[in-house]
Amino acid sequence: MTQILATDVTPTQPIFIPKIIFFDIDDTLSRNGSIAPHNKATLEDLAKTDIKLVIATGRSKSIIPKDIMALFESHIFDAIVCTNGQYSFDKHGIISHYPLTLEQASNINQLCRQDHLIHKFDSATHLAWANDNENIRAFIANNPSSIIDPDYYKTHPVYQCSVFFESKKDKMQHVDFAEFGLKLVHWHKIGGDILPIEASKERGVRDVCHYFGIDVSDAMAIGDGFNDLEMFDVVGFGVAMGDAQPALKQRADWVTGTIEEYGIQAAVRHLLD
Protein backbone atom coordinates (compact mmCIF):
# COMPACT_ATOMS: atom_id res chain seq x y z
CA MET A 1 0.00 0.00 0.00
CA THR A 2 1.12 3.60 -0.56
CA GLN A 3 2.64 5.27 2.47
CA ILE A 4 2.08 8.95 3.22
CA LEU A 5 4.77 10.64 5.27
CA ALA A 6 3.39 13.15 7.74
CA THR A 7 5.69 15.83 6.38
CA ASP A 8 4.36 15.26 2.85
CA VAL A 9 0.64 15.63 3.50
CA THR A 10 -1.07 18.29 1.39
CA PRO A 11 -4.74 19.32 1.16
CA THR A 12 -4.98 17.56 -2.23
CA GLN A 13 -4.14 14.15 -0.78
CA PRO A 14 -6.94 11.87 0.45
CA ILE A 15 -7.57 12.20 4.19
CA PHE A 16 -9.16 9.46 6.27
CA ILE A 17 -12.00 10.54 8.57
CA PRO A 18 -12.42 7.92 11.32
CA LYS A 19 -15.36 7.33 13.60
CA ILE A 20 -13.07 5.75 16.18
CA ILE A 21 -9.31 5.95 16.87
CA PHE A 22 -7.27 3.29 18.71
CA PHE A 23 -4.07 4.48 20.38
CA ASP A 24 -1.17 2.38 21.61
CA ILE A 25 0.38 3.74 24.84
CA ASP A 26 4.12 3.14 25.09
CA ASP A 27 6.20 5.10 22.56
CA THR A 28 2.99 6.24 20.86
CA LEU A 29 1.24 8.43 23.43
CA SER A 30 3.76 8.02 26.24
CA ARG A 31 7.49 7.87 26.68
CA ASN A 32 9.07 6.17 29.71
CA GLY A 33 5.68 5.68 31.32
CA SER A 34 4.37 9.26 31.08
CA ILE A 35 2.08 10.75 28.46
CA ALA A 36 3.59 13.62 26.51
CA PRO A 37 1.84 16.91 27.48
CA HIS A 38 1.15 17.80 23.85
CA ASN A 39 -0.48 14.39 23.30
CA LYS A 40 -2.68 14.88 26.35
CA ALA A 41 -3.81 18.25 25.01
CA THR A 42 -4.56 16.78 21.57
CA LEU A 43 -6.63 13.95 23.11
CA GLU A 44 -8.64 16.50 25.08
CA ASP A 45 -9.34 18.38 21.85
CA LEU A 46 -10.31 15.21 20.00
CA ALA A 47 -12.70 14.29 22.82
CA LYS A 48 -14.75 17.37 21.90
CA THR A 49 -15.51 15.81 18.50
CA ASP A 50 -17.83 12.89 17.72
CA ILE A 51 -14.88 10.51 17.28
CA LYS A 52 -14.57 7.68 19.83
CA LEU A 53 -11.12 7.46 21.44
CA VAL A 54 -9.85 4.09 22.66
CA ILE A 55 -6.62 2.77 24.14
CA ALA A 56 -5.23 -0.46 22.60
CA THR A 57 -2.29 -1.73 24.63
CA GLY A 58 -0.41 -4.90 25.45
CA ARG A 59 -0.35 -3.82 29.09
CA SER A 60 -2.70 -5.55 31.49
CA LYS A 61 -5.42 -3.51 33.19
CA SER A 62 -3.60 -3.29 36.53
CA ILE A 63 -0.52 -1.57 35.07
CA ILE A 64 -2.10 0.96 32.74
CA PRO A 65 -0.36 4.25 33.67
CA LYS A 66 -2.20 6.51 36.08
CA ASP A 67 -2.21 9.43 33.64
CA ILE A 68 -3.91 7.28 31.00
CA MET A 69 -6.46 6.00 33.52
CA ALA A 70 -7.14 9.60 34.59
CA LEU A 71 -8.07 10.44 30.99
CA PHE A 72 -10.34 7.40 30.93
CA GLU A 73 -12.01 8.43 34.19
CA SER A 74 -12.55 11.95 32.85
CA HIS A 75 -14.26 10.53 29.72
CA ILE A 76 -11.48 11.48 27.30
CA PHE A 77 -11.14 7.80 26.41
CA ASP A 78 -14.34 5.89 25.70
CA ALA A 79 -12.88 2.41 26.25
CA ILE A 80 -9.66 0.47 26.78
CA VAL A 81 -8.43 -2.63 24.96
CA CYS A 82 -5.68 -4.14 27.09
CA THR A 83 -3.67 -7.34 27.52
CA ASN A 84 -3.21 -7.57 23.73
CA GLY A 85 -6.96 -7.72 23.05
CA GLN A 86 -7.63 -10.28 25.76
CA TYR A 87 -9.56 -7.83 27.97
CA SER A 88 -11.63 -4.81 26.88
CA PHE A 89 -13.78 -2.53 29.01
CA ASP A 90 -15.47 0.85 29.27
CA LYS A 91 -17.08 2.83 32.10
CA HIS A 92 -19.97 0.37 32.22
CA GLY A 93 -17.81 -2.73 32.65
CA ILE A 94 -16.30 -5.54 30.58
CA ILE A 95 -16.86 -5.40 26.83
CA SER A 96 -15.10 -8.71 26.12
CA HIS A 97 -12.54 -10.97 27.76
CA TYR A 98 -10.80 -14.23 26.91
CA PRO A 99 -9.11 -15.94 29.89
CA LEU A 100 -6.50 -18.62 29.30
CA THR A 101 -7.76 -22.12 29.91
CA LEU A 102 -6.14 -23.96 32.81
CA GLU A 103 -4.48 -26.26 30.26
CA GLN A 104 -3.02 -23.31 28.35
CA ALA A 105 -1.76 -21.63 31.51
CA SER A 106 -0.26 -24.89 32.78
CA ASN A 107 1.53 -25.49 29.48
CA ILE A 108 2.91 -21.95 29.51
CA ASN A 109 4.13 -22.33 33.08
CA GLN A 110 5.84 -25.61 32.24
CA LEU A 111 7.54 -24.21 29.14
CA CYS A 112 8.89 -21.22 31.08
CA ARG A 113 10.12 -23.39 33.96
CA GLN A 114 11.85 -25.78 31.58
CA ASP A 115 13.98 -22.88 30.36
CA HIS A 116 14.30 -21.39 33.88
CA LEU A 117 12.76 -18.12 32.71
CA ILE A 118 11.37 -15.28 34.79
CA HIS A 119 7.64 -15.02 34.03
CA LYS A 120 4.36 -13.71 35.39
CA PHE A 121 0.66 -14.19 34.70
CA ASP A 122 -1.60 -11.17 34.24
CA SER A 123 -5.16 -11.03 35.52
CA ALA A 124 -7.49 -8.03 35.48
CA THR A 125 -6.32 -7.09 38.98
CA HIS A 126 -2.84 -8.55 39.54
CA LEU A 127 0.54 -9.37 38.07
CA ALA A 128 1.38 -12.73 39.61
CA TRP A 129 5.10 -13.53 39.46
CA ALA A 130 6.12 -17.16 39.37
CA ASN A 131 9.65 -16.27 40.54
CA ASP A 132 11.22 -14.45 43.47
CA ASN A 133 14.33 -12.28 43.37
CA GLU A 134 15.50 -8.82 44.41
CA ASN A 135 14.50 -7.15 41.15
CA ILE A 136 10.98 -8.56 41.32
CA ARG A 137 10.60 -7.46 44.93
CA ALA A 138 11.78 -3.98 44.00
CA PHE A 139 9.18 -3.90 41.21
CA ILE A 140 6.48 -5.07 43.63
CA ALA A 141 7.39 -2.28 46.05
CA ASN A 142 6.43 0.28 43.37
CA ASN A 143 3.50 -1.64 41.89
CA PRO A 144 0.83 -2.59 44.44
CA SER A 145 -0.94 -4.90 41.98
CA SER A 146 2.12 -7.16 41.78
CA ILE A 147 2.40 -10.28 43.92
CA ILE A 148 4.53 -13.42 44.08
CA ASP A 149 2.30 -16.46 43.66
CA PRO A 150 3.50 -19.31 41.42
CA ASP A 151 0.10 -21.00 41.60
CA TYR A 152 -2.04 -17.92 40.96
CA TYR A 153 -3.11 -19.09 37.50
CA LYS A 154 -4.64 -22.23 38.98
CA THR A 155 -7.37 -20.36 40.87
CA HIS A 156 -7.78 -17.01 39.04
CA PRO A 157 -8.65 -15.97 35.47
CA VAL A 158 -5.44 -14.92 33.71
CA TYR A 159 -5.14 -13.51 30.22
CA GLN A 160 -1.49 -13.71 29.22
CA CYS A 161 1.97 -14.59 30.47
CA SER A 162 4.87 -12.16 30.20
CA VAL A 163 8.26 -13.82 29.92
CA PHE A 164 11.71 -12.26 30.28
CA PHE A 165 14.84 -13.54 28.55
CA GLU A 166 18.42 -13.31 29.80
CA SER A 167 19.81 -13.01 26.29
CA LYS A 168 18.68 -11.45 23.02
CA LYS A 169 19.72 -14.68 21.31
CA ASP A 170 17.72 -17.01 23.53
CA LYS A 171 14.03 -16.27 23.02
CA MET A 172 12.50 -19.75 23.19
CA GLN A 173 13.11 -20.24 19.46
CA HIS A 174 13.13 -23.99 20.04
CA VAL A 175 9.50 -23.99 21.26
CA ASP A 176 6.72 -24.78 18.79
CA PHE A 177 4.07 -22.64 20.48
CA ALA A 178 1.49 -23.50 17.81
CA GLU A 179 1.61 -27.09 19.04
CA PHE A 180 0.02 -25.82 22.23
CA GLY A 181 -2.36 -23.37 20.53
CA LEU A 182 -0.17 -20.49 21.70
CA LYS A 183 2.10 -17.79 20.28
CA LEU A 184 4.93 -15.59 21.55
CA VAL A 185 4.72 -11.86 20.74
CA HIS A 186 7.85 -9.81 21.43
CA TRP A 187 7.39 -6.36 22.94
CA HIS A 188 11.03 -5.82 23.93
CA LYS A 189 14.46 -7.13 22.94
CA ILE A 190 14.41 -9.41 25.97
CA GLY A 191 10.70 -9.64 26.73
CA GLY A 192 7.50 -11.00 25.23
CA ASP A 193 3.95 -12.14 25.89
CA ILE A 194 2.68 -15.70 25.51
CA LEU A 195 -0.94 -15.74 24.36
CA PRO A 196 -3.52 -17.98 22.71
CA ILE A 197 -2.78 -18.16 19.01
CA GLU A 198 -6.03 -16.32 18.17
CA ALA A 199 -5.36 -13.45 20.61
CA SER A 200 -4.40 -10.01 19.30
CA LYS A 201 -5.24 -6.36 19.53
CA GLU A 202 -7.24 -6.98 16.34
CA ARG A 203 -9.80 -9.04 18.26
CA GLY A 204 -10.17 -6.33 20.88
CA VAL A 205 -10.53 -3.69 18.18
CA ARG A 206 -13.27 -5.72 16.49
CA ASP A 207 -15.07 -6.25 19.82
CA VAL A 208 -15.03 -2.56 20.71
CA CYS A 209 -16.15 -1.47 17.23
CA HIS A 210 -19.04 -3.93 17.38
CA TYR A 211 -19.91 -2.69 20.88
CA PHE A 212 -20.15 0.91 19.67
CA GLY A 213 -21.90 -0.03 16.43
CA ILE A 214 -19.01 1.16 14.25
CA ASP A 215 -17.69 -0.69 11.22
CA VAL A 216 -14.02 -1.56 11.72
CA SER A 217 -13.29 -0.05 8.30
CA ASP A 218 -14.14 3.32 9.88
CA ALA A 219 -11.41 2.90 12.51
CA MET A 220 -7.96 4.45 12.64
CA ALA A 221 -5.14 2.89 14.70
CA ILE A 222 -1.87 4.51 15.78
CA GLY A 223 1.01 2.42 17.12
CA ASP A 224 4.67 1.48 16.99
CA GLY A 225 5.20 -2.19 17.90
CA PHE A 226 4.95 -5.76 16.72
CA ASN A 227 1.72 -6.28 18.66
CA ASP A 228 0.09 -3.59 16.49
CA LEU A 229 0.56 -5.55 13.25
CA GLU A 230 -2.76 -7.43 13.30
CA MET A 231 -4.57 -4.28 14.37
CA PHE A 232 -3.27 -2.47 11.28
CA ASP A 233 -4.56 -5.29 9.08
CA VAL A 234 -8.17 -4.80 10.12
CA VAL A 235 -8.66 -1.04 10.58
CA GLY A 236 -9.44 1.34 7.75
CA PHE A 237 -6.28 3.38 8.34
CA GLY A 238 -3.08 2.50 10.21
CA VAL A 239 -0.59 5.14 11.35
CA ALA A 240 2.93 4.06 12.36
CA MET A 241 5.02 6.29 14.60
CA GLY A 242 8.32 7.57 13.23
CA ASP A 243 10.32 5.20 15.46
CA ALA A 244 7.99 2.23 14.93
CA GLN A 245 9.22 -1.25 14.09
CA PRO A 246 10.13 -1.45 10.38
CA ALA A 247 7.59 -4.24 9.84
CA LEU A 248 4.82 -1.99 11.15
CA LYS A 249 5.90 0.90 8.95
CA GLN A 250 5.64 -1.42 5.96
CA ARG A 251 2.09 -2.30 6.90
CA ALA A 252 1.00 1.27 7.67
CA ASP A 253 -1.05 3.57 5.47
CA TRP A 254 0.76 6.57 6.94
CA VAL A 255 4.16 6.92 8.61
CA THR A 256 4.17 9.92 10.92
CA GLY A 257 6.80 11.40 13.23
CA THR A 258 7.94 10.35 16.70
CA ILE A 259 6.36 11.62 19.92
CA GLU A 260 8.99 14.36 20.08
CA GLU A 261 8.28 15.25 16.44
CA TYR A 262 4.56 15.67 17.22
CA GLY A 263 3.63 12.56 15.27
CA ILE A 264 0.15 12.24 16.77
CA GLN A 265 -0.61 15.85 15.90
CA ALA A 266 0.45 15.32 12.27
CA ALA A 267 -1.82 12.27 12.05
CA VAL A 268 -4.98 13.92 13.41
CA ARG A 269 -4.62 17.62 12.65
CA HIS A 270 -7.13 17.40 9.79
CA LEU A 271 -9.73 16.19 12.33
CA LEU A 272 -9.32 19.33 14.45
CA ASP A 273 -9.23 22.01 11.76
Side-chain angles (χ1 to χ4, degrees):
M1 60 180 61
T2 302
Q3 293 181 345
I4 309 169
L5 297 178
T7 53
D8 295 334
V9 173
T10 69
T12 59
Q13 291 172 320
I15 294 176
F16 186 80
I17 308 296
K19 294 181 180 178
I20 187 168
I21 306 176
F22 292 88
F23 297 90
D24 177 49
I25 297 177
D26 298 293
D27 300 323
T28 296
L29 290 177
S30 305
R31 189 79 82 190
N32 300 320
S34 298
I35 189 169
H38 54 281
N39 285 343
K40 179 176 181 291
T42 295
L43 290 168
E44 290 169 343
D45 288 340
L46 283 170
K48 298 172 186 176
T49 72
D50 293 330
I51 302 169
K52 298 286 187 185
L53 307 180
V54 181
I55 286 291
T57 180
R59 287 173 174 259
S60 62
K61 183 180 179 181
S62 66
I63 55 168
I64 294 173
K66 292 181 179 179
D67 50 13
I68 297 295
M69 287 303 296
L71 292 174
F72 173 71
E73 294 295 336
S74 61
H75 301 280
I76 301 301
F77 289 116
D78 296 281
I80 294 180
V81 175
C82 60
T83 329
N84 289 302
Q86 290 286 86
Y87 193 98
S88 303
F89 63 98
D90 72 351
K91 296 283 285 186
H92 302 290
I94 297 173
I95 294 173
S96 65
H97 70 129
Y98 306 95
L100 296 171
T101 66
L102 180 57
E103 180 182 7
Q104 287 173 327
S106 298
N107 285 335
I108 291 170
N109 186 62
Q110 183 177 358
L111 290 169
C112 291
R113 289 197 177 281
Q114 284 175 354
D115 284 4
H116 307 287
L117 295 172
I118 300 293
H119 62 288
K120 64 175 176 63
F121 284 96
D122 297 358
S123 73
T125 56
H126 290 88
L127 307 181
W129 294 87
N131 317 86
D132 186 357
N133 61 38
E134 290 184 5
N135 290 334
I136 290 172
R137 289 193 174 273
F139 182 86
I140 289 173
N142 295 315
N143 295 271
S145 67
S146 289
I147 58 174
I148 295 173
D149 185 352
D151 296 323
Y152 184 86
Y153 71 89
K154 295 179 181 179
T155 55
H156 298 80
V158 292
Y159 297 92
Q160 70 180 11
C161 174
S162 297
V163 60
F164 302 86
F165 310 107
E166 295 182 0
S167 167
K168 297 178 184 178
K169 297 179 181 179
D170 182 19
K171 297 183 178 180
M172 302 178 83
Q173 291 95 332
H174 62 285
V175 177
D176 181 5
F177 286 99
E179 177 185 347
F180 302 95
L182 302 168
K183 65 180 177 180
L184 173 64
V185 179
H186 295 287
W187 48 262
H188 190 270
K189 293 179 180 178
I190 56 171
D193 295 320
I194 303 176
L195 300 153
I197 201 165
E198 67 274 11
S200 69
K201 286 186 182 181
E202 174 190 341
R203 181 161 64 173
V205 165
R206 286 185 182 276
D207 290 341
V208 169
C209 284
H210 178 75
Y211 177 77
F212 285 124
I214 297 173
D215 194 286
V216 73
S217 65
D218 290 319
M220 174 189 286
I222 307 178
D224 72 289
F226 288 120
N227 62 353
D228 296 315
L229 286 167
E230 293 95 341
M231 180 169 66
F232 274 31
D233 281 343
V234 69
V235 297
F237 202 79
V239 178
M241 298 299 289
D243 48 1
Q245 294 291 336
L248 191 70
K249 288 183 177 181
Q250 288 295 319
R251 202 168 295 187
D253 298 288
W254 189 345
V255 178
T256 188
T258 65
I259 291 176
E260 293 73 22
E261 294 167 340
Y262 289 73
I264 296 292
Q265 287 66 37
V268 305
R269 63 190 176 195
H270 63 288
L271 304 175
L272 296 173
D273 287 342

